[in-house]
Amino acid sequence: MERPGRLLLQSELRVRNAAYDVSLSRSLFTWKRRAASPVYHPFRPRFCVPLFPRRPDPGVCHSVPVSEIISVREEEEENGSRQRDDGSWKKIREREGKDCRQAFTVLYVERCQQHRWRCAEVTFTCSDEAVCQHWVSSIREQLASNTSRPKHLLVYINPYGGKRQGKRIYEQKVAPLFTQAGISTSVIVTEYANHARDHLKMEAELKKFDGVVCVGGDGMFSEIIHGLIWRTQIDCGVDPNSPEEALSPCSLRIGIIPAGSTDCICFATVGTNDPVTSALHIIVGDSQPLDVCSVHHNNMFLRYSVSLLGYGFYGDVLSDSERKRWMGPARYDFSGLKMFLTHHYYEGTVSYLPARGIIGTPRDATRCRSGCVICQHNGQLNSERSEKYEMDEASDSESSGEWRTIRGKFLAINAASMSCACPRSPKGLSPAAHLADGTTDLILVRKCSRFNFLRHLLRHTSKDDQFDLTFVEVHRVRRFRFMPRHCQSDSDLELDLHENSKRQIFSQICKDHPACGCAPAYSSWNCDGEILTHTAIDVRVHCQLIKLFARGIEELPVFEDLTNPCAI
């Protein structure tokens, strides 16, 4: 926690009839309860119970970072009702005769369990109107000086995602907070698939806004990044179809209000899928860089990925579940069980460029958290390398023979750019993956028995090392390529073949006998919940290409310190 520094303002104010020493610096807003002193009340016996019992005081002092103050507003005294229990009728009549603002309320971020944030408030009563005005103007001045806070936001709402609650969630839980914080919004309710992507690509006047907010799930977020990244590259003169091009980072931050069936990005960057928490991160102006993978096929752009690229098991689960949307969220469980029982494996070649000179490995105990040192170090290293490569293309390690190649039969090939943790898998596919270090964790699961594959899957939910198995290997890479064994069929027709091979629920029984034609030659790539139209792909990681209104998952000691404010 930053030290308070020089005080800008200090006064004795009252909170619920208790005296507090209140102070404001450039970094902290603090109120500390004064020691109680016995006061004689001639009109109230000592054994009298107050008409309105006081709520228990959470503590004698409290400190809030100025950056986490949401807003401040002036209040009017309620005709002396706050003074009713002191027995002084003269003071009550004096206050009834006044109609001036002598109190102000500060709204601030309060941390709860499981990384949730809430909007708390405290009201201070001042001795006169001048003191009240001075406090209000001083706090507002400090908030206005914070240039990281957004003033104007472009909001896209997906009314059909998840349980169709996106519009209600925004109007009831998020919009009031934006209004209190003085944020103006331009809201667009999407009407069809990729509406937000197309609007960002062609029509949106991005210079008018400080950020883009999507209300929906991971699919809606994918629309936003595809439109925003594409628009940025076109404006900067970069060819998105070239896998060799270094993409230009996006200037606008992206906010996510979770309202979908899957909220993987929120879990990885905030720690919860609570819409109020995400709205408060947007209001205080948090910024979390995020790596993005570009996926190409034969110098043709396919998609961007920020979380998971999965071939084999996870690709088959997605392909099968897409045909069972009528089942709702239960389709993922059904398809997962079905694909586990069919136990398909696929042959191909994986080539990858290992990430050298970085700190951290996929099997570290270190987790990516708020203010991650590994992301900062590796991100800086990556930017220095990029500058060096631009000056001397011959020094590019991608052409210096560092590529490694693995051929074999695989049950799953996964590339995790973040941990991919969720309520069902608290550790995720790659627990030590980082959000902004310029790498992705390439996980190869070779052909094995169903029992061994089940052991691997179960370790996603346990404390055991899920990579400590003979048939599993993991590599931290900056780029990789995959080529299926029969590359001549790698076209749009391969998906039709894949569909035809799965018309029956459990048709692939004799998978070890290719002559019978029941074993599929290809799987599909699951790219952040979308199916790619090609299996031969070239994937490159672009370090810190976008920024989110988030700060990463905070460590538990942060919560402990802030629940004990006197320790600050």
Side-chain angles (χ1 to χ4, degrees):
M1 181 65 68
E2 184 182 358
R3 291 188 176 183
R6 185 174 65 87
L7 292 178
L8 302 176
L9 196 58
Q10 188 172 17
S11 302
E12 179 186 342
L13 307 177
R14 302 187 70 83
V15 179
R16 295 198 300 269
N17 296 320
Y20 279 76
D21 288 322
V22 186
S23 61
L24 174 69
S25 71
R26 297 190 184 277
S27 59
L28 282 179
F29 176 67
T30 306
W31 60 101
K32 182 177 181 180
R33 187 171 182 175
R34 287 196 158 195
S37 58
V39 179
Y40 175 63
H41 296 279
F43 299 104
R44 187 177 63 187
R46 292 180 180 271
F47 55 83
C48 180
V49 178
L51 181 60
F52 300 100
R54 295 178 182 176
R55 293 183 297 175
D57 200 330
V60 295
C61 66
H62 199 97
S63 294
V64 174
V66 172
S67 61
E68 294 182 5
I69 294 177
I70 300 169
S71 64
V72 58
R73 66 170 183 262
E74 294 178 277
E75 302 283 358
E76 291 187 9
E77 281 292 301
E78 298 177 358
N79 293 330
S81 61
R82 299 179 186 270
Q83 304 293 332
R84 187 177 298 173
D85 61 345
D86 68 356
S88 176
W89 293 100
K90 182 179 180 181
K91 289 185 177 180
I92 292 177
R93 289 184 176 276
E94 289 176 355
R95 290 185 178 273
E96 285 179 351
K98 296 181 179 180
D99 187 20
C100 60
R101 295 182 175 181
Q102 296 184 356
F104 64 94
T105 298
V106 176
L107 288 80
Y108 61 94
V109 170
E110 182 178 63
R111 287 166 171 78
C112 304
Q113 294 181 347
Q114 299 177 341
H115 305 287
R116 291 174 178 259
W117 284 10
R118 285 295 176 265
C119 179
E121 63 180 54
V122 56
T123 300
F124 299 93
T125 304
C126 306
S127 57
D128 56 62
E129 186 178 4
V131 173
C132 179
Q133 292 286 348
H134 194 189
W135 271 100
V136 172
S137 60
S138 297
I139 295 175
R140 287 177 176 170
E141 182 180 347
Q142 291 303 306
L143 297 182
S145 65
N146 189 344
T147 57
S148 66
R149 291 194 168 209
K151 303 293 189 300
H152 310 282
L153 293 173
L154 176 59
V155 181
Y156 293 96
I157 301 177
N158 179 5
Y160 305 108
K163 298 180 180 179
R164 299 174 179 262
Q165 297 296 310
K167 190 174 181 181
R168 182 191 64 82
I169 289 174
Y170 177 78
E171 292 176 349
Q172 296 184 6
K173 297 184 177 182
V174 178
L177 291 174
F178 284 171
T179 301
Q180 289 178 338
I183 298 176
S184 62
T185 58
S186 177
V187 179
I188 297 176
V189 180
T190 59
E191 300 175 356
Y192 52 87
N194 294 320
H195 182 180
R197 183 200 66 182
D198 297 341
H199 185 263
L200 282 170
K201 275 186 175 182
M202 306 297 296
E203 303 176 28
E205 299 180 25
L206 300 182
K207 293 182 180 180
K208 295 170 50 179
F209 303 101
D210 303 314
V212 181
V213 176
C214 63
V215 183
D218 291 339
M220 187 64 177
F221 174 73
S222 181
E223 280 194 39
I224 298 298
I225 66 169
H226 277 79
L228 193 58
I229 294 175
W230 188 276
R231 174 75 171 270
T232 302
Q233 307 321 306
I234 298 302
D235 291 346
C236 295
V238 178
D239 181 12
N241 282 312
S242 173
E244 307 301 329
E245 288 272 13
L247 300 183
S248 299
C250 301
S251 58
L252 292 182
R253 285 170 289 175
I254 303 173
I256 310 172
I257 303 299
S261 55
T262 57
D263 302 301
C264 174
I265 311 300
C266 267
F267 274 105
T269 57
V270 178
T272 179
N273 64 339
D274 175 56
V276 172
T277 302
S278 296
L280 293 176
H281 278 284
I282 295 172
I283 289 172
V284 302
D286 280 337
S287 182
Q288 170 63 52
L290 197 65
D291 295 339
V292 177
C293 293
S294 61
V295 186
H296 289 78
H297 168 77
N298 291 342
N299 293 324
M300 179 181 65
F301 169 76
L302 296 181
R303 287 190 70 85
Y304 294 116
S305 170
V306 295
S307 57
L308 172 68
L309 274 165
Y311 184 82
F313 179 75
Y314 289 102
D316 292 347
V317 169
L318 179 63
S319 298
D320 189 75
S321 65
E322 284 297 300
R323 299 192 298 271
K324 298 177 175 60
R325 283 189 167 270
W326 54 270
M327 296 179 64
R331 67 184 185 272
Y332 297 112
D333 295 329
F334 179 84
S335 297
L337 176 62
K338 174 183 173 181
M339 291 303 107
F340 171 76
L341 293 177
T342 52
H343 201 59
H344 293 150
Y345 68 87
Y346 303 93
E347 296 186 61
T349 301
V350 179
S351 303
Y352 66 91
L353 188 65
R356 296 188 178 277
I358 64 171
I359 57 176
T361 67
R363 299 181 67 175
D364 280 344
T366 306
R367 301 292 181 261
C368 188
R369 293 295 182 261
S370 180
C372 179
V373 177
I374 292 179
C375 288
Q376 294 175 5
H377 176 273
N378 295 346
Q380 179 65 26
L381 183 66
N382 189 282
S383 62
E384 293 174 356
R385 283 178 174 173
S386 298
E387 294 175 359
K388 180 182 178 182
Y389 296 158
E390 290 177 2
M391 296 174 59
D392 183 11
E393 294 182 0
S395 65
D396 193 341
S397 62
E398 295 185 14
S399 59
S400 61
E402 292 188 11
W403 283 86
R404 297 181 180 179
T405 301
I406 299 175
R407 296 179 177 87
K409 301 175 180 179
F410 305 98
L411 287 172
I413 300 173
N414 302 320
S417 299
M418 57 179 62
S419 66
C420 299
C422 63
R424 292 190 176 187
S425 178
K427 289 170 51 178
L429 291 180
S430 184
H434 288 267
L435 298 173
D437 66 342
T439 69
T440 187
D441 288 350
L442 182 62
I443 307 167
L444 307 177
V445 183
R446 294 181 180 271
K447 179 186 175 184
C448 62
S449 66
R450 284 190 182 87
F451 174 74
N452 280 334
F453 189 53
L454 179 62
R455 288 172 58 202
H456 171 66
L457 294 178
L458 290 178
R459 289 196 177 190
H460 294 332
T461 60
S462 67
K463 295 182 180 180
D464 297 329
D465 183 0
Q466 58 204 55
F467 305 130
D468 188 22
L469 297 168
T470 57
F471 55 90
V472 178
E473 55 184 291
V474 58
H475 309 276
R476 185 152 287 177
V477 305
R478 292 193 290 115
R479 188 171 181 176
F480 76 92
R481 295 167 181 154
F482 174 74
M483 181 68 67
R485 182 180 177 184
H486 306 287
C487 60
Q488 68 272 14
S489 297
D490 184 36
S491 64
D492 293 345
L493 295 177
E494 72 188 22
L495 291 182
D496 295 334
L497 295 174
H498 187 57
E499 295 289 332
N500 293 334
S501 67
K502 293 188 174 182
R503 286 180 179 175
Q504 299 180 18
I505 296 181
F506 298 107
S507 59
Q508 292 78 18
I509 301 300
C510 44
K511 61 182 181 305
D512 293 323
H513 302 83
C516 69
C518 63
Y522 304 100
S523 177
S524 302
W525 279 100
N526 178 344
C527 180
D528 293 356
E530 297 291 334
I531 299 175
L532 296 184
T533 56
H534 296 274
T535 55
I537 61 173
D538 184 354
V539 180
R540 177 178 177 178
V541 184
H542 300 271
C543 185
Q544 302 183 8
L545 187 64
I546 60 175
K547 291 183 179 179
L548 304 184
F549 283 108
R551 65 175 59 177
I553 300 175
E554 293 180 311
E555 293 282 6
L556 290 178
V558 174
F559 292 88
E560 294 172 0
D561 291 344
L562 292 175
T563 53
N564 182 19
C566 296
I568 297 180

